[in-house]
Amino acid sequence: MNKLRWRIGDLLGHSVVVEVTFLILAALFVFPAFGKTFDDHFAALLMAPILFVSILVHELGHALAIDRFGYGKSTVLLWGMGGLCIGRGARSAKHGLLISLAGPAAGLVIGLPALALYLGLDFDIIGIEIGRTLMKALWFTVWVNVGWSLLNLLPIFPLDGGQALMNVLRMRGKSPIAATRRAGLVGLIVLVPLVLLSLLSLDIWMIFILFFIGRTTWSAYKTGQV
């Protein structure tokens, strides 16, 4: 195993690997959230395991769908840009579409109950400090799972929405290369307002993410491959 990656075990038969860049990603969430009290620090530290479990569940959704359709076991990689599900074999357009949607669906399985708790719990009854910590943890769980699942459905490569659009185009008769190029073009169009908003707000982190996504989307448009 690469020295920057560690295989931490198997989950439901799928290999789980963590890259050192994932620790950097977690730190970017945790350290800015530290406050002035112990409870603030504790709530910030909770972000790391919530992020780990949420991304793992999302990618496991893909892996279980890949296995369900007969393409074998996968490797789930947690890294600096989130997660990747590395499976084997060419897939039919229908299976590819369902596999793409399985990740966001798995995230909603965690996120929607967390949202219901966040909206329904009376945090004052629980206690001021514990209630505030729980409220922050639940909201971060909602943000990572519901928010990311919805954003991930944008038709941009390498997001699930880009993969889903590509497979829909394949189902409508486009060749894999033509479908990928058409989906890449749609992704580039969607990226334009997102990049402009990020530049206007000077959101460095979002600019970095969009740069990475933009390179993949441009490559898909030019080459017809992801």
Side-chain angles (χ1 to χ4, degrees):
M1 182 63 66
N2 188 312
K3 290 183 178 180
L4 298 179
R5 294 181 177 181
W6 304 278
R7 184 179 179 277
I8 62 175
D10 291 335
L11 186 58
L12 300 178
H14 303 280
S15 181
V16 179
V17 178
V18 176
E19 189 176 271
V20 67
T21 54
F22 179 78
L23 304 180
I24 299 173
L25 174 66
L28 290 173
F29 282 97
V30 170
F31 288 118
F34 278 124
K36 297 180 180 180
T37 68
F38 171 81
D39 297 281
D40 291 333
H41 300 333
F42 184 66
L45 290 173
L46 283 177
M47 289 182 169
I50 291 172
L51 190 69
F52 176 85
V53 172
S54 299
I55 295 177
L56 179 60
V57 168
H58 178 104
E59 299 305 329
L60 191 61
H62 292 309
L64 291 175
I66 291 171
D67 193 23
R68 171 66 178 80
F69 293 130
Y71 300 105
K73 301 299 182 182
S74 302
T75 295
V76 172
L77 171 65
L78 304 184
W79 69 306
M81 296 301 293
L84 286 174
C85 180
I86 305 169
R88 300 174 182 172
R91 303 160 190 170
S92 70
K94 180 180 179 181
H95 287 171
L97 174 61
L98 295 175
I99 289 168
S100 298
L101 298 177
L108 293 177
V109 169
I110 295 179
L112 292 179
L115 178 60
L117 285 173
Y118 180 84
L119 296 175
L121 282 178
D122 188 341
F123 296 102
D124 291 332
I125 294 178
I126 298 175
I128 296 176
E129 297 299 335
I130 295 178
R132 187 169 61 179
T133 300
L134 179 59
M135 181 174 63
K136 290 180 179 179
L138 283 173
W139 179 246
F140 187 66
T141 302
V142 172
W143 184 85
V144 172
N145 289 279
V146 177
W148 177 241
S149 291
L150 295 178
L151 287 174
N152 215 6
L153 291 175
L154 289 174
I156 305 169
F157 286 113
L159 303 184
D160 295 326
Q163 303 283 349
L165 176 59
M166 181 265 292
N167 283 294
V168 168
L169 292 172
R170 287 178 61 200
M171 292 172 65
R172 295 177 64 87
K174 297 289 185 182
S175 69
I177 291 178
T180 302
R181 292 196 64 191
R182 183 70 61 84
L185 177 60
V186 172
L188 290 173
I189 295 172
V190 174
L191 273 172
V192 170
L194 297 178
V195 171
L196 291 176
L197 287 173
S198 298
L199 290 173
L200 289 173
S201 62
L202 297 178
D203 189 334
I204 303 301
W205 177 240
M206 185 55 65
I207 291 172
F208 173 76
I209 293 176
L210 292 178
F211 174 76
F212 169 79
I213 291 174
R215 287 183 59 189
T216 306
T217 302
W218 175 255
S219 176
Y221 169 65
K222 293 296 290 183
T223 67
Q225 298 179 344
V226 181

